Amino acid sequence: MKSKTYMIAEIGSNHDGSLEIALEMVEKAKKAKADAVKFQTFQVDKLLNPLVFQENNSESNWVYDELKKVEIDEEFHKKIKEKCVQLKIDFISSPFDTESLEIVSKYCDKIKIASSEITNLPFLKEVGKYGKPVILSTGMSFLGEIEKAISALISGGVTDLSILHCISLYPLNAEDANLNFIQTLKQCFNLPVGFSDHSLDDTLALSAVSLGAQIIEKHVTLKREDRIFDHAHSMEFKELQIMIDKIRMIESALGNGIKTISAKEMEIKQGSNRSFFAVEQLEPGTVLTLENIKAVRPLIGIPVVFQDEIIGKKIKKKIKPDYPIFWEDIDW
């Protein structure tokens, strides 16, 4: 059976800066059967230039102002950690600077590296010293950049590393998903591979699990609506639970790859496969031919696959018409 897919409910900044909303979302993620919740930890001054320089020479940067509203401090992390421990759900966050990395490492079970930071090699080398499991997203990245990022993390001391196939489009459409890259990542790096899904429904996530994804990350919101951050391409929690239930069904259906016949299927096999029966009454010493025996359902006597072994052999006992022929009936 396929190992259990690790399900991450990506809250990101969809808490809108409210601890109350964040705690509610953690509770809903647990109820939806997610294995982890994920946030984003940053100091805007270390993430983004406060001015934006455009052709019209505007110095207004509304993104900076909005991100400032959703910064989460150490106390916020502490409260989320307490809730996650209480509910037995993993706490993950993506840090975007060294100070945020220190906070994340103090309170989180795992560190998530956002796709935007995959070329930030000095930062990646810092991650390893905290001894935490790391999940690396690979959006907007060439294969060579992914390789360098993995090397930086490992050289920095990371020993538990997973990677996520990711396309940094919001929302992600099926024709852009390139899900077969999951197999490429597995072959190239021999690491656990998952999928960070920005699509609007569960189709791509379910397909990714069938292709071997071991982690699924999906954005969640209390209410999908077209506004700042990730609300517009996020799942509501009732949809998340439906998706997770489907994934658990897929895991069960994929099995272990070993061909066996269950007891239930064996019953069907016995009714469906052919074995040999007498066409007419056979007396002791009768030579078996294709004229005096027939191979029909059910599988009671000698299976049809052994036709060559029994044709030309004599039988030892009388067999009535339409009665099965057994191995012990043959004079060897």
Side-chain angles (χ1 to χ4, degrees), residues 245-261:
D245 287 342
K246 288 180 180 178
I247 285 174
R248 299 301 177 226
M249 188 181 300
I250 289 171
E251 291 165 353
S252 177
L254 288 174
N256 59 14
I258 300 171
K259 179 60 176 173
T260 59
I261 302 177

Side-chain angles (χ1 to χ4, degrees), residues 74-99:
E74 184 166 355
E75 183 64 19
F76 191 108
H77 286 78
K78 182 180 178 181
K79 295 297 184 183
I80 296 297
K81 177 64 174 179
E82 291 171 355
K83 176 62 72 172
C84 288
V85 170
Q86 174 193 342
L87 297 177
K88 297 181 180 179
I89 187 170
D90 287 349
F91 179 22
I92 304 173
S93 192
S94 293
F96 289 83
D97 54 78
T98 53
E99 290 81 1

Side-chain angles (χ1 to χ4, degrees), residues 258-287:
I258 300 171
K259 179 60 176 173
T260 59
I261 302 177
S262 68
K264 292 180 180 178
E265 193 180 14
M266 185 60 75
E267 292 178 8
I268 304 299
K269 179 180 178 66
Q270 290 175 336
S272 300
N273 284 181
R274 296 170 184 258
S275 62
F276 285 107
F277 297 82
V279 172
E280 57 196 32
Q281 182 162 301
L282 303 177
E283 301 295 336
T286 300
V287 176

